[in-house]
Amino acid sequence: MNAIVKAPGQQDGSKAATLIVDNKQITMPVRSGTIGPDVVDIGKVYANSGVFTYDPGFTSTANCSSKITYIDGDEGVLLYRGYPIEQLAEKSSHIEVCHLLLNGELPNQKQFDEFRSVITRHTMVHEQMTRFFSGFRRDAHPMAIMCGSVGALSAFYHDSTDIHDPVQRMIASHRMIAKMPTLAAMAFKYSIGQPFIYPSNALDYTSNFLQMCFAVPCEPYNVDPVLSRALDRIFILHADHEQNASTSTVRLAGSSGANPFACIAAGIACLWGPAHGGANEAALKMLMEIGDKKNIPAFVARAKDKNSGQRLMGFGHRVYKNYDPRAKVMQQTCREVLAKLGVNDPLLETAMELEQIALHDDYFIEKKLYPNVDFYSGIVLRALGFPTSMFTVLFAVARTVGWIAQWKEMIEDPEQKIGRPRQLYVGAPKRDYTDVAKRA
Ligand code: CMC
């Protein structure tokens, strides 16, 4: 078999690509987005040629069209609904970004007030959820609790699980954005044996989350606005990232018609992995393991040796082949938080030295490995008082709006179908069953 792909222009001016398989020519439409690379629509390749395409990890495959987030990995650009992440991190708030991602536009004042009010009034969870929590072991990883408790929401909110009803879809979206911080704080409180703290409608989204995490019933708790703003910015940085592994998981789960709470639980499970959301926890552990700056060269040498099984955590990205724009904001936030708290964390020194050494090392330069958002986030989150086991939970809180906006977009997309990849089968060909007595 020979296969040749060409991309000539069509006579009518539209773009097309040609695939030649066994001398049979198949023409495929080429679609252009607003910005970014064109895509070859291979949807009819199998029907027209009898061959599948093969792309483990979807490195060259677009699974959907989307209007939500755009990334230019070579230039280090990240846009939410067209707005650069740096501008949003500096000028916006997470709740405003939630409106932007979910509804497509920045809200005017009236829309903002309404949206904030709706989200605020959905922050409480069904009281019976507290008993659900007590079924978990106290030493359970909070991400394990999140997988279970978010999945359980579908057992509590039946009135927003009809995915065909746009009103229910919106209510479920608001519930997810509003209740995720409450569940995350409950998972944290449960793990340290403290009583749950109810949400407070007088506080903004992120300050409310901080008080649910750090207040105790026996004394007043005042949220530090500098720290609340820093965490809010961290939420903005993590709010969406186009078709990453957990978002694709949410879309795939949702493509079967599963309810949104179940889909987000699937996304949380995917996010937990160290190659994705678990990287900030892994990056901080790595910095602690390195300890003294004098150990950096030996650690970098190990990270370059494939046989060591060790990677430089917080470095490299599937899409960014340049400095992750979120990492720049995160480094700045890290400095601000440490300054405000008066903390002189030697891990920041270690991180900055490690970054410089890696950025000047041929291995990392050639492979275009730069710091990603998780390289500095662990230091900030630790300074804010969160244990490492909570880091990925915080990522989940922030990413919830991205997951739900992408889920909603998929459900409303007339081109969406159940996700069903094909495979290259390399197992045994057809063979006959043998009786156990006759097996070798
Ligand atoms: N340290 C050392 N070598 C690396 C690293 C690293 N952090 N990342 C990639 N490489 C090497 C890898 O060994 C491979 O080498 P070769 O071409 O010789 O086989 C090459 O670079 C390409 O790596 P890959 O694994 O094929 O690339 P990928 O796009 O599949 O992986 C990644 C992307 C993020 C999983 C990977 O860079 C990684 O494991 N980084 C560390 C974990 C991390 O920080 N993850 C957070 C990602 S950002 C947050 C998020 O979006 O969830």
Side-chain angles (χ1 to χ4, degrees), residues 59 238 241 244 271 274-280 283 303-304 306 310-319 321 324 326 363-364 367 369 372-375 395 399:
T59 53
H238 287 87
H241 215 227
N244 58 86
L271 185 74
H276 191 6
N280 51 14
K304 294 193 293 186
K306 280 201 201 324
Q310 176 79 64
R311 282 189 171 196
L312 194 48
M313 300 312 286
F315 251 73
H317 198 276
R318 169 61 60 79
V319 181
K321 301 303 167 197
D324 179 342
R326 302 168 302 170
Y363 173 94
F364 294 92
K367 295 186 190 303
L369 299 169
N372 60 50
V373 68
D374 288 326
F375 193 64
F395 193 156
R399 185 55 58 85

Side-chain angles (χ1 to χ4, degrees), residues 35-228:
I35 35 176
D38 289 345
V39 301
V40 179
D41 183 344
I42 57 169
K44 298 255 183 310
V45 164
Y46 176 62
N48 293 337
S49 71
V51 297
F52 295 139
T53 56
Y54 183 68
D55 183 18
F58 306 113
T59 53
S60 298
T61 301
N63 178 41
C64 61
S65 56
S66 179
K67 294 179 176 165
I68 302 176
T69 292
Y70 173 75
I71 302 173
D72 182 334
D74 294 324
E75 296 297 323
V77 170
L78 170 60
L79 311 176
Y80 292 166
R81 301 278 189 187
Y83 296 101
I85 190 67
E86 296 85 351
Q87 290 182 24
L88 293 169
E90 187 193 336
K91 299 177 181 166
S92 188
S93 60
H94 184 62
I95 196 73
E96 185 177 65
V97 166
C98 287
H99 185 286
L100 174 69
L101 290 170
L102 193 61
N103 299 309
E105 295 296 338
L106 286 169
N108 61 29
Q109 190 62 53
K110 183 166 171 285
Q111 290 165 332
F112 178 79
D113 292 343
E114 279 169 11
F115 185 72
R116 189 173 55 178
S117 162
V118 167
I119 298 299
T120 304
R121 282 186 292 105
H122 275 300
T123 47
M124 283 209 309
V125 292
H126 195 290
E127 192 59 18
Q128 200 153 327
M129 283 295 288
T130 55
R131 272 182 269 159
F132 191 85
F133 270 76
S134 56
F136 289 105
R137 283 171 57 135
R138 288 274 176 192
D139 61 356
H141 195 290
M143 279 300 275
I145 298 182
M146 292 303 284
C147 291
S149 60
V150 173
L153 288 177
S154 43
F156 288 93
Y157 299 102
H158 304 279
D159 59 342
S160 53
T161 53
D162 179 358
I163 64 158
H164 303 294
D165 178 348
V167 176
Q168 292 202 27
R169 287 202 295 273
M170 195 48 106
I171 295 172
S173 304
H174 292 157
R175 281 184 167 146
M176 280 308 323
I177 296 167
K179 294 185 198 307
M180 192 67 104
T182 312
L183 292 177
M186 288 170 82
F188 176 48
K189 286 297 198 191
Y190 188 74
S191 70
I192 54 174
Q194 289 187 3
F196 298 137
I197 302 291
Y198 284 105
S200 163
N201 286 0
L203 295 172
D204 65 72
Y205 188 85
T206 303
S207 301
N208 179 43
F209 176 61
L210 283 170
Q211 76 91 25
M212 287 191 290
C213 287
F214 297 117
V216 285
C218 41
E219 60 186 34
Y221 174 80
N222 294 318
V223 182
D224 184 323
V226 174
L227 303 186
S228 171

Side-chain angles (χ1 to χ4, degrees), residues 252-312:
L252 192 58
S255 74
S256 72
N259 77 69
F261 304 108
C263 297
I264 302 297
I268 292 173
C270 177
L271 185 74
W272 196 356
H276 191 6
N280 51 14
E281 189 175 338
L284 190 76
K285 281 186 182 152
M286 173 191 77
L287 291 173
M288 291 195 277
E289 187 190 321
I290 293 172
D292 198 286
K293 283 198 273 185
K294 73 175 185 334
N295 300 324
I296 293 176
F299 188 88
V300 169
R302 271 216 309 286
K304 294 193 293 186
D305 174 9
K306 280 201 201 324
N307 298 324
S308 73
Q310 176 79 64
R311 282 189 171 196
L312 194 48

